[in-house]
């Protein structure tokens, strides 16, 4: 973890660096700990999480900590312990349960936080081993089918046990103190037959106890683990019969003792495993080791036998072999039949998969598997490539796998049948692969064989591909012919290859050698390789495996100099020509060899030596005995001289030579010693020694072995070798030893003396080997090397130039004078080339100067003449540097001709390396054109190599491997070439015409070669050919070949494009030629669904070129196809012509979106804008729009846009000046914005923002929904229109559409409810202002257009129409000219003084109508047949005609406009569902009727005008004025009848007015009501008024209010109480349906009260018996009246009126004044009092009026006397007794001043009365003047209303409850509308603040605290009122309080208060002023105070 460091501390640099390293290591450890804990957690979850656990362990073992270097001492010690063990076995104790359950294991092994690498590794290995065993236990328990078979179970157990055993051993290497782990390892050792190792483990577990037993008589106490380990060890020793060990003290202590039962059953940790596997048990029970050991060879070939023998030798050397001591070897080879398995692959049964780490995973992800042979003797299967033997001490002991990959542990002994390429059969009833394995393999083969089923049904479906290919080859061939570079050729030979392959054997994997050597050979080779694909070919086609032919090695040397040296040293090796086929068949003589070896008792070394002799020992003909001359014995060269060994065979031979050197050398050394002795004795005796064939065989074999060892040593001493020094020294020792042995023999060889005559091959080889041995040491001076090679050349020239070829030795492949001379040449060139890289900092200019001459002399202006190398003098070699001038620079180099010829003759690898070096130098010099030339030249070299004899003369298999490797190199160059050619503008600057032609030929040849893979895909898809079932790796190769095809066609296009520039005369129409090329290539590749390969490079090029050239044929279709392929973008109507090319669309970037924008807009604008949002183009538009806006703005762009935004915002807030309207018509009006330059506004300049806004606006305006819709579209339209104007404020159409957007917003706000009309006028005014200003700006810019098109003129006409409609609508209700008001725009002016006034003249109605008329007149210029223009012009004229300022408009102007509107109406179609347009017809009828009434028209003229509407033609015209009304009504009825949908309501309303307006009597009212009830008003008073299609938005609410008020007057006149009640409920409930709802409700409210009074005849009731009554008596009698009203049998008309009045009050809430309804309630209650109280019987505790009159108490008499005196006093003062009902109901004023005045008056009256009666005296009164006397109690209107409401407090009213209806409507609801008292006045019809300001001006703060329904209220009515004010309810639920409590404060003369102490709202004194008269003003003030609002 990182530590904290102070900020002021300066850390040491070294410490910081170290800390960084430590931090990295700690982070890696921390990550590994997290992975470990995750795996343990998943393991603990049980079998359901085993799959996740397996993945978790895999991730854990892939972490970086497993790559750390660990101490090797412990590991080496452990390996020694493992090597010391042998395979033995024990017995199974049959236990059932394990000691460690899953949870215990996890708990014991999962340490919370391991803090070291060793600890993590220990825990990881241990827990993975435990996991695989738990997984095995689960699989065995749930095994079914094949898994339940015994044979499979044993294989599975062995495989998993070995894996767990390896993990446990790795864990013990890290921590050997875990006793439980020692026990687990011992248990697995017994299972696997390693009993000795099991004993070692158990002894390690109890090592402490053993030491205690030896050194101490009192051993320490054992732990449970140690006790169990001792028990296990004792059982093992008993099974081994080791009595000595059992007699030891520790074992003796447990003799005859048993553990506790709980411990006894836990002795075996894994009871579910058998004690030992059966095959190990058989070995143990069979007695001695087997006498024979069988080696099974999978293939009948010498190489396979050698690999098997070598593998056994390596394992024996490492101590891991299973060959018993002294066992004889048996070699088992397959029968002599055709076997298709490759060398190194072996047959086998099913694989077993287990969880294993990534770094130890078996090949192809399979688990370790092994299956021994059961055929009577111990046997073993082998596979894979052998381990490198040159470094036995440093290499791992794990053998390599079959593919040469990293070794696996332990070695895999089993291969599945699929790996060997055999069919998975089950003929013998044996095991077969499981469904899981077969399913996995079938999935892997999906890419190669997945198309078989579909292809079988489409036989012969290659014709479409053939047609496209014909056109492709024809078109491209014609273009190449003009360039004189047509190497593409004809398509028919390629098709012939495919057809021939189809006629051959249909079995996959069949091979046919192409005998013809022609230019088609590489094509045939590639096709054959694809058909017979295998792992070898896949490996050759892998980038990291094509080392032999790649310019850069897989493991590059540290510098280019070393790499060059390596390639120069390898050049001779690579130039070695392989024979077409081996001279000896694969298995010839193998049967005799195996028969001979099996017939003898041979050890493994003996068999291996015999195998080596087969290749290294030569045969001879002639005398087999001694002879006098060598010439009598003719040696037949050994296989070493005669055959060309494959690389794997040679590798096996060399490795076996190294291993067997300790056995071979002594034997041959003894034989050579005998030969030397024999020849020396003969020489001493001076006679010619006899010579036999066996002697020559020995000498030839020694020479061969020496040459092979020298070759091996030369590879170790070259510059690129990385062999360790000790290995190199060992090999040097072998070379020296064999060289000394050969030298001793050749000293006495008799033919040396006569070498010139005999030219003995053996002697020549010896002489060449001697000279080469001199130059073999490292660091030898170059002069010595040159001297030695000159001597060797001189020697061979002296013998007439004999030639000896050793094709299996790269160190000395040819022995001749020419070879020596080539070596000298190569040395000189070698020095020249290596001098280029004399230092690490290479000068690229120097590299280019030198290499250009050698690689491309023509580029340097030099000619290359033939130079015969044999005629060159030796001075050329001795002094190779010759001065040459190149481009004015003097450079020193060998003869460039010789150097160029030498480089040209070298291997392709060297040439590619030099060209690659030159390319890197040009890259350093930043010359892309030269880099391009180098890439093209390297491709040319590779393509030329395919037609060279060195390629054509090879075998088919070798050709295919070489071809695949070269194609991989070409692919690397293609990737870089296409990038350069497309993206670099100067890529072809240095490519002249000749190089261009040469490059075009090479690329065209490559395209032809690669096209065979396309034909292969076609045939495979069509089912005409099949591939090998084992071709699992073919899919990657096929994909890579497809990528190469696409890159090749793209590169060829770039070359042709350059050719059109350099050879213009050959390409007169370059754009069309190139476009045609791209078209045919796209069609051919697209049909095969491969055009998107190679990162869609071809499609990108096509896209770029198509948008540059738009004049070619089918350009639009090709563009659409490319966009679909690249981005899956369908933007055209020609999508039916677009093919499915199988491309996966990518996201569009902004540059691409801008590029295709013009094309997309062209396509989109062909579609109706209203249909775009519903069409298939919507997705494309959205995708383009998403990426168009993702653009960071430039600072300059942002400044301009921000400025325009500020100007726009201020512009829209300004008032509307009439002069601006006038200027806009003349084009003088504009917004002062700035235009953004076009390079900043690419998107806006193309019109994209306007287009998107137009789509959103069209979508919003075209939606016909039955409910309010979202404003998202309108807001989006406004956003994009404003965005467009931010870039260019001069776009008139954008202004126009923005104005339409504002109009649509207004319409949406007022269409569904009248809420915003009533309560949100500022928003509507703002939108109107925005629309008008946008119309003004659009009109101003539009009239400036110089020559508008016809389409533009039509749009301008629409602009005039829309502008006129907006002006007219804003001037009429419901908007009422508010937008033109200047109330909020007042400014201060200075003149005579500072004053406030309007900034300009306010636009009036007359001016607005006049301007609108002008707009419609201008609209008619371009659209004279548009009926709306005439219709709206007529309406404007009608308004102007009626205005007092009118001077120019007459009646006929108005009539003519509507007549013209009718004439221009669209003709009605045959479709009956389309409703006719009624507006002009109705308006004409209405206007004519009004003009007739105004006497502007006569009856004849009026009827004649009406004949213009067809609805009046069938009605007889009137004869006089009396017939006019029926005539008009019949016309209106005809119009109404034609309106089938009943949308038009104005005809009905007009008919009602015509009936009523003239007479206005009851009969007329009845008729008008009848008309309205037919359509507008239902029986339940539902107002059915809808907006017709052509009616302005919001007008229907105006009509609704008008109709309602008119209908209210009719009902009032008819006194229809029932209808009035229903209408009142409807109007109060549906507040959102009425414009000016408060006004409408007020009229309905007052009319309803009048109807109720009229019904109850309550208007003239004045006197009452309540006067003079006391409050107590009033309460008592009111209670009796309430009891009477609660009687169910009670019925009285006044009671009904009272009930309805109370309901009306509740329904009203606080919307209208309560005074009228309370007066009605009071009057009705008094009437009921007067009529009912006298008839009621007296109750308990109450007295009637008679009782009061007869009361004889003194108090009563005094009271009567006082009243009489008071009346007399009033008469004396001239006052009248005003105890009428009106004065009784009058309440006192609410103000404090009025209260005081009233109280003073009362005091004066009471004082005078008391003084006159003699009750008090004057002085007493004066003394008490400071004490305010109490007022007498009186009954107020509030008391009466409260008592009246109490009558129905607990009863439901008849005919429905208005309050319930009002309360049911939610406040402010737009959906349900609603009355109700909740929420304050207006009953939910809008915001309370808007209603408060319009009705009340005062408010008492105490009302806010009052609640509804609270039982502590002193006054029920006050509680109800406060509840209504607070919005908590109607007050109907407030409980009626005790009357005595309510009146007690009144008796004391105090104000009534609420329960919380607050005063009554308004401070109203409830006492009645008896002295006041009938004061109407006071009554109004009192009523006003009662209407307080919250």
């Amino acid at each position: 973890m990182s530590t904290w460091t102070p900020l002021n501390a300066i850390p040491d640099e070294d410490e910081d660096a170290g800390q960084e390293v430590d931090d990295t290591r700690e982070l890696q450890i921390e990550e590994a700990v997290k992975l470990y804990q995750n795996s343990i957690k998943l393991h603990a979850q049980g079998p359901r999480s085993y799959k996740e656990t397996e993945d978790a362990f895999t991730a854990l073992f892939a972490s970086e900590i497993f790559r750390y270097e660990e101490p090797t001492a412990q590991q080496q010690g452990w390996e020694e312990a493992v090597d010391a063990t042998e395979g033995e076995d024990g017995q199974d104790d049959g236990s059932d349960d394990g000691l460690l359950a899953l949870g215990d294991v996890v708990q014991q092994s999962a340490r919370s936080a391991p803090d070291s690498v060793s600890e993590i590794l220990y825990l990881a290995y241990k827990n993975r081993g435990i996991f695989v065993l738990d997984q095995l236990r689960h699989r065995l328990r749930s095994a079914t089918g094949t898994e339940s078979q015994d044979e499979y179970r044993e294989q599975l157990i062995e495989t998993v046990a070995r894996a767990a055993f390896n993990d446990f051993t790795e864990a013990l290497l890290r921590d050997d103190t875990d006793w439980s782990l020692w026990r687990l390892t011992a248990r697995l050792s017994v299972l696997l037959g390693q009993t000795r190792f099991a004993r070692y483990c158990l002894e390690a577990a109890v090592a402490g106890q053993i030491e205690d037993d030896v050194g101490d008589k009192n051993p320490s106490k054992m732990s449970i683990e140690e006790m169990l380990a001792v028990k296990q060890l004792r059982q093992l020793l008993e099974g081994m019969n080791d009595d000595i060990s059992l007699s030891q003290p520790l074992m003796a202590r447990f003799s005859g003792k048993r553990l506790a039962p709980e411990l006894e059953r836990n002795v075996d940790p894994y009871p579910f495993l058998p004690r030992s596997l059966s095959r190990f048990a058989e070995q143990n029970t069979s007695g001695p080791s087997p006498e024979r050991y069988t080696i099974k060879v999978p293939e009948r070939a010498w190489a396979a036998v050698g690999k098997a023998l070598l593998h056994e030798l390596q394992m024996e050397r490492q101590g891991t072999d299973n060959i018993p001591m002294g066992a004889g070897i048996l070699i088992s080879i397959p029968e002599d039949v055709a076997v298709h398995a490759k060398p190194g692959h072996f047959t086998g049964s099913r694989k077993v998969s287990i969880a294993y780490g990534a770094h130890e995973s078996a090949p192809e992800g399979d688990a370790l598997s092994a299956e021994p042979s059961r055929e009577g003797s111990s046997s073993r299967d082998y596979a894979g490539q052998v381990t490198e033997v040159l470094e036995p001490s440093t290499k791992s002991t794990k053998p390599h796998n079959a593919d040469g990959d990293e070794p696996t542990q332990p070695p895999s002994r089993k291969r599945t049948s699929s790996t060997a390429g055999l069919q998975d059969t089950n003929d013998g009833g044996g095991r077969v692969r499981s469904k899981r394995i077969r399913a996995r393999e079938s999935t892997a083969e999906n890419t190669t064989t997945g198309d078989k089923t579909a292809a079988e049904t489409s036989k012969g479906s290659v014709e479409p591909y053939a047609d496209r290919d014909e056109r492709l080859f024809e078109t491209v061939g014609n273009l190449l012919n003009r360039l004189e570079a047509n190497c593409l050729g004809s398509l028919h030979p390629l098709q012939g290859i495919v057809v021939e392959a189809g006629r051959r054997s249909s079995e996959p994997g069949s091979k046919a050698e192409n005998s013809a050597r022609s230019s088609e050979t590489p094509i045939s080779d590639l096709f054959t390789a694809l058909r017979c694909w295998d792992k070898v070919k896949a490996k050759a086609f892998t980038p990291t495996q094509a080392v032999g032919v790649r310019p850069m090695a897989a493991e590059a040397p540290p510098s280019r100099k070393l790499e060059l040296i390596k390639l120069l040293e390898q050049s001779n090796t690579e130039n070695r020509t392989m024979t077409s086929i081996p001279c000896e068949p694969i298995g010839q003589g193998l049967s005799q060899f195996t028969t001979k070896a099996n017939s003898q008792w041979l050890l493994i070394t003996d068999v291996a030596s015999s195998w080596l002799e087969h290749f290294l020992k030569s045969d001879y003909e002639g005398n087999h005995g001694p002879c006098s001359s060598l010439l009598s014995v003719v040696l037949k060269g050994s296989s070493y001289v005669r055959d060309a060994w494959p690389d794997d065979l040679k590798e096996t031979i060399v490795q076996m030579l190294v291993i067997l050197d300790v056995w071979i050398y002594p034997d041959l050394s003894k034989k050579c010693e005998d030969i030397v002795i024999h020849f020396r004795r003969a020489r001493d005796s001076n006679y010619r020694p006899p010579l036999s064939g066996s002697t020559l065989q020995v000498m030839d074999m020694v020479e061969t072995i020496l040459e092979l060892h020298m070759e091996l040593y030369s590879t170790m001493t070259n510059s690129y070798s990385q062999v360790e020094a000790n290995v190199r020294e060992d090999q040097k020792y072998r070379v020296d030893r064999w060289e000394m042995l050969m030298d001793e023999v050749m000293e006495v060889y008799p033919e040396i003396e006569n070498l010139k005559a005999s030219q003995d091959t053996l002697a020549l080889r010896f002489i060449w080997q001697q000279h080469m041995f001199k130059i073999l040491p490292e660091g030898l001076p170059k002069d010595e090397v040159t001297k030695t090679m000159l001597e060797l050349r001189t020697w061979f020239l002296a013998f007439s130039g004999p030639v000896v070829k050793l094709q299996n030795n790269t160190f000395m492949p040819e022995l001749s004078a020419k070879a020596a001379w080539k070596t000298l040449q190569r040395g000189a060139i070698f020095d020249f080339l290596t001098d280029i890289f004399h230092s690490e900092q290479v000068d690229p200019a120097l590299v280019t100067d030198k290499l250009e001459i050698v690689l491309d002399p023509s580029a340097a202006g030099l000619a290359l003449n033939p130079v015969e190398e044999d005629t060159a003098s030796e001075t050329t070699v001795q002094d190779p540097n010759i001065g040459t001038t190149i481009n004015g620079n003097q450079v020193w180099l060998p003869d460039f001709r010789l150097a160029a010829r030498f480089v040209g003759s070298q291997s392709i690898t060297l040439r590619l390396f030099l060209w690659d070096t030159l390319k890197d130098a040009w890259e350093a010099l930043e010359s892309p054109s030269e880099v391009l030339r180098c890439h093209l030249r390297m491709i040319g070299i590779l393509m030329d190599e395919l037609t060279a004899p060195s390629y054509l003369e090879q075998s088919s298999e070798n050709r295919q491997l070489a071809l695949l490797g070269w194609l991989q190199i070409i692919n690397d160059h293609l990737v870089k070439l296409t990038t350069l050619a497309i993206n670099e503008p100067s890529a072809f600057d240095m490519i002249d015409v000749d190089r261009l032609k040469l490059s075009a030929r090479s690329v065209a040849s490559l395209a032809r070669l690669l096209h065979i893979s396309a034909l292969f895909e076609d045939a495979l898809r069509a089912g005409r050919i099949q591939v090998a079932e084992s071709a699992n790796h073919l899919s990657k190769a096929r994909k890579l070949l497809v990528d190469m095809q696409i890159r090749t066609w793209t590169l060829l296009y770039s070359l042709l494009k350059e050719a059109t520039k350099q050879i213009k005369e050959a390409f007169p129409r370059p754009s069309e030629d190139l476009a045609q090329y791209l078209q045919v290539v796209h069609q051919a590749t697209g049909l095969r669904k491969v055009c998107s390969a190679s990162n869609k490079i071809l499609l990108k090029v096509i896209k770029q070129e198509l948008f540059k050239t738009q004049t070619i044929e089918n350009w639009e279709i090709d563009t659409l196809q490319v966009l679909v392929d690249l981005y899956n973008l369908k933007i055209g109507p020609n999508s039916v012509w677009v093919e499915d090319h199988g491309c996966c669309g990518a996201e569009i970037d902004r540059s691409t979106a801008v590029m295709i924008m013009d094309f997309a807009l062209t396509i989109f604008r062909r579609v109706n804008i209203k249909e775009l949002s519903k069409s298939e183009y919507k997705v494309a538009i959205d995708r383009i729009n998403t990426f168009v806006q993702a653009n960071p703005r430039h600072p300059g762009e942002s400044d301009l846009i921000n400025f325009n935004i500020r100007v726009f915002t201020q512009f829209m807030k300004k008032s509307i000046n009439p002069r601006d309207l006038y200027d806009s018509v003349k084009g003088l009006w504009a917004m002062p914005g700035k235009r953004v330059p076009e390079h900043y506004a690419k998107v806006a300049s193309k019109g994209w923002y306007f287009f998107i806004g137009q789509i959103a606006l069209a979508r919003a305006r075209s939606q016909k929904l039955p409910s309010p819709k979202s404003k998202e579209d309108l807001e989006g339209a406004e956003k994009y229109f404003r965005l467009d104007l931010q870039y260019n404020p001069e776009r008139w159409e954008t202004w126009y559409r923005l104005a339409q957007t504002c109009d649509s917003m207004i319409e949406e706000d007022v269409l569904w409810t009248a809420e915003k009309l009533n309560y949100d006028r500022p928003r509507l005014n703002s939108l109107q202002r925005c629309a008008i200003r946008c119309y003004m700006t659009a009109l101003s810019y539009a009239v400036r257009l110089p020559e508008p098109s016809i389409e533009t003129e039509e749009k301008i006409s629409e602009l005039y129409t829309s502008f006129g409609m907006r002006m007219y609508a804003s001037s009429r209700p419901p908007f009422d000219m508010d937008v033109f008001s200047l109330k909020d725009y007042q400014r201060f002016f200075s003149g005579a003084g500072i004053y406030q006034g309007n900034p300009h003249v306010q636009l009036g109605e007359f001016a607005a109508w006049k301007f609108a008329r002008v707009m419609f007149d201008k609209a008619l210029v371009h659209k004279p047949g548009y009926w709306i223009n005439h219709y709206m012009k007529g309406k404007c004229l009608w308004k102007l005609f009626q205005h007092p300022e009118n001077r120019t408009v007459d009646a006929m102007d108005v009539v003519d406009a509507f007549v013209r509107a009718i004439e221009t109406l669209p003709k009605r179609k045959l479709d009956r569902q389309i409703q006719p347009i009624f507006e002009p017809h109705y308006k004409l009828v209405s206007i004519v009727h009004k003009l007739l009434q105004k006497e502007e028209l006569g009856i004849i003229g009026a009827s004649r005008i009406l004949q213009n509407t067809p609805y009046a033609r069938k009605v007889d015209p009137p004869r006089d004025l009396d017939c006019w009304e029926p005539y008009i009504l019949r016309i209106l009825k005809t119009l109404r009848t034609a309106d089938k949908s009943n949308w038009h309501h104005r005809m009905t309303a007009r008919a009602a007015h015509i009936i009523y307006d003239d007479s206005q009597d009851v009969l007329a009212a009845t008729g008008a009501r009848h008309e309205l009830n037919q359509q507008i008003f239902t029986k339940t008073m539902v107002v059915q008024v809808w907006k017709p299609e052509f009616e302005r938005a919001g007008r229907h609410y105006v009509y609704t209010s008008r109709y309602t008020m008119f209908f209210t007057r009719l009902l009032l006149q008819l006194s229809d109480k029932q209808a009035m009640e229903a209408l009142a409920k409807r109007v109060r409930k549906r507040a959102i349906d009425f414009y000016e709802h408060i006004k409408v409700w007020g009229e309905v409210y007052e009319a309803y009260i009048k109807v109720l009074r009229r019904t109850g005849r309550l208007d003239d009731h004045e006197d009452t018996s309540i006067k003079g009554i006391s409050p107590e008596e009033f309460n008592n009698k009111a209670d009796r009246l309430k009891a009477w009203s609660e009687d169910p049998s009670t019925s009285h008309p006044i009671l009904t009126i009272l009930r309805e009045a109370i309901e009306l009050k509740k329904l009203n809430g606080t919307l209208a004044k309560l005074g009228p309804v309370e007066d009605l309630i009071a009057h009705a209650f008094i009437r009921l009092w007067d009529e009912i109280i006298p008839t009621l019987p007296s109750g308990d505790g109450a007295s009637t009026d008679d009782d009061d009159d007869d009361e004889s108490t003194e108090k009563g008499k005094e009271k009567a006397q006082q009243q009489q005196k008071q009346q007399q006093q009033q008469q004396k003062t001239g006052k009248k007794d005003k105890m009428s009902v009106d004065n009784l109901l009058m309440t006192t004023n609410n103000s404090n001043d009025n209260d005081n005045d009233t109280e003073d008056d009362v005091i004066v009256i009471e004082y005078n009365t008391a003084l006159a009666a003699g009750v008090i005296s004057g002085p007493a009164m004066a003394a008490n003047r400071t004490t305010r006397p109490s007022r007498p109690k009186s009954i107020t209107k509030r008391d009466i209303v409260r008592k009246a409401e109490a009558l129905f407090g607990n009863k439901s009213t008849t005919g429905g409850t208005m309050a319930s209806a009002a309360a049911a409507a939610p406040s402010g609801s737009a959906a349900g509308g609603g009355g109700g008292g909740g929420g304050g006045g207006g009953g939910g019809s809008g915001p309370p603040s808007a209603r408060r300001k319009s009705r009340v001006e005062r408010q008492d703060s105490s009302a806010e605290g009052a609640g509804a329904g609270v039982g502590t209220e002193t006054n029920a009515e006050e509680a109800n009122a406060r509840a209504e004010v607070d919005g908590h309810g109607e007050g109907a639920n407030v409980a009626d309080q005790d009357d005595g409590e309510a009146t007690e404060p009144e008796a004391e003369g105090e104000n009534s208060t609420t329960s919380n102490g607050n005063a009554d709202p308004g401070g109203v004194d409830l006492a009645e002023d008896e002295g006041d008269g009938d004061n109407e003003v006071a009554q109004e003030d009192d009523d006003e105070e009662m209407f307080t609002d919250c």
Side-chain angles (χ1 to χ4, degrees), residues 1219-1230 1336-1345 1360 1418:
R1219 184 174 182 82
D1220 295 340
L1221 288 171
Y1222 176 77
D1223 291 341
S1224 66
V1225 178
K1226 292 186 176 183
L1228 303 177
W1229 170 255
M1336 292 166 54
T1337 312
L1339 179 59
S1340 180
Y1341 286 126
V1343 298
R1344 301 180 192 177
L1345 298 177
Y1360 282 123
K1418 290 182 176 293

Side-chain angles (χ1 to χ4, degrees), residues 1628-1629 1637 1641 1703-1712 1714 1858-1868 1873-1886 1888 1891-1892 1895 1908 1919-1932 1988-1990:
R1628 187 62 179 87
K1629 177 180 179 181
H1637 175 258
W1641 168 248
E1703 293 294 342
L1704 178 60
K1705 178 186 177 184
K1706 295 179 179 179
L1707 181 65
N1708 174 69
T1710 57
L1711 189 59
L1714 295 177
M1858 293 186 183
S1860 300
S1867 174
S1885 58
R1891 297 193 297 276
R1892 295 191 208 105
R1895 296 197 309 273
N1920 292 340
R1922 288 171 184 153
E1924 292 171 5
V1925 170
D1926 291 339
H1928 298 295
E1930 291 292 334
T1988 56
D1989 201 340
C1990 64

